[in-house]
């Protein structure tokens, strides 16, 4: 619901809105990882079969990706806001894409 509101309401610059949208959608990563790793945590599956190890690896990767992303969010937002301050005169009016 929050991601839908960010898409529809243009309260912030599109760069900050895009960052917020990506981070909100990343909240699904630990939920998906928990669902994937649940059979391992309950003992339903063991780590003997290679095909089941793949799901365990994917679950761990999702958890690690989420943790790294969330630990860097303050840096990413600070860089975006620093660029907004640097281009203060026309940041909200112009698109500063590379090229």
């Amino acid at each position: 619901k929050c991601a839908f509101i960010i898409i529809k309401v243009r309260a912030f610059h599109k760069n900050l809105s895009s960052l917020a949208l990506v981070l909100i959608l990343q909240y699904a990563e630990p939920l998906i990882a928990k669902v994937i790793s649940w059979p391992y945590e309950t003992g339903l599956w063991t780590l003997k079969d290679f095909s089941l190890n793949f799901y365990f690896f994917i679950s761990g990767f999702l958890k690690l990706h989420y943790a790294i992303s969330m630990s860097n969010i303050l840096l990413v937002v600070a860089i975006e806001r620093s660029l907004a301050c640097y281009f203060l005169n026309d940041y909200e009016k112009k698109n500063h894409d590379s090229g």
Side-chain angles (χ1 to χ4, degrees):
K1 205 172 209 181
C2 186
F4 179 75
I5 291 171
I6 288 175
I7 291 171
K8 292 296 178 185
V9 177
R10 300 291 179 180
F12 302 108
H13 190 267
K14 69 178 183 176
N15 293 345
L16 189 58
S17 295
S18 299
L19 285 174
L21 184 64
V22 167
L23 293 171
I24 289 169
L25 294 177
Q26 279 186 332
Y27 277 117
E29 283 184 345
L31 177 65
I32 294 168
K34 184 68 172 176
V35 169
I36 293 172
S37 66
W38 178 79
Y40 295 103
E41 294 173 0
T42 59
L44 187 62
W45 292 347
T46 60
L47 293 174
K48 294 178 183 174
D49 188 17
F50 177 75
S51 63
L52 295 179
N53 289 340
F54 177 74
Y55 296 119
F56 191 67
F57 171 76
I58 293 297
S59 173
F61 176 78
L62 286 174
K63 289 178 184 178
L64 182 64
H65 182 265
Y66 175 76
I68 291 171
S69 297
M70 290 300 120
S71 66
N72 290 325
I73 184 57
L74 290 176
L75 175 65
V76 170
V77 172
I79 290 172
E80 193 278 334
R81 291 288 85 194
S82 296
L83 290 173
C85 290
Y86 180 75
F87 296 111
L88 189 60
N89 294 332
D90 61 356
Y91 185 76
E92 299 296 330
K93 296 177 186 81
K94 290 184 179 179
N95 189 2
H96 289 283
D97 292 333
S98 60

